[in-house]
Amino acid sequence: MHQVFDTVRQMEGLGWTFKVNAEYLEVYNDRLNDLLGGKQGCPMRETPKGIVIEGMQSEVVTSVPEVMAALQRGSDKRIVAKMSMNDRSSRGHSIFTIHVKQMLEMGGERS
């Protein structure tokens, strides 16, 4: 993450602007849960632009500490249960995603 934000700062000096967003999804019992927004049972749809998880909250992050705070907040919301070998075992899978959108001040845009 340090490299991402270091590169963002370098490129901003060359006329580029950036928007960095984080999303955190949990897959538990065939259900999709938004760990940042708190919505559970989010539907998944296929659109012409690709697969979309409806209702997912995307959070703007501007630094490594903000990314780590979002990751911690989401991790605290994961569904866990005590197992015989682990007091805090996750019963699902999670996906933490960072999206970086790069925009040239003249109007061009790349994701």
Side-chain angles (χ1 to χ4, degrees), residues 33-101:
N33 302 321
D34 177 1
L35 295 174
L36 293 181
K39 185 175 180 185
Q40 295 192 354
C42 299
M44 180 171 49
R45 305 271 186 253
E46 186 172 0
T47 70
K49 292 184 178 184
I51 303 294
V52 175
I53 310 299
E54 292 182 3
M56 281 288 296
Q57 178 175 315
S58 182
E59 184 173 311
V60 174
V61 289
T62 60
S63 66
V64 173
E66 287 182 11
V67 171
M68 299 310 292
L71 185 60
Q72 184 62 54
R73 276 194 323 278
S75 293
D76 290 344
K77 293 179 184 175
R78 291 194 66 201
I79 297 171
V80 296
K82 185 174 182 173
M83 303 293 286
S84 61
M85 300 209 30
N86 187 343
D87 284 345
R88 195 177 188 298
S89 176
S90 173
R91 305 294 293 164
H93 303 281
S94 64
I95 303 165
F96 187 77
T97 307
I98 298 293
H99 297 275
V100 179
K101 184 180 259 187

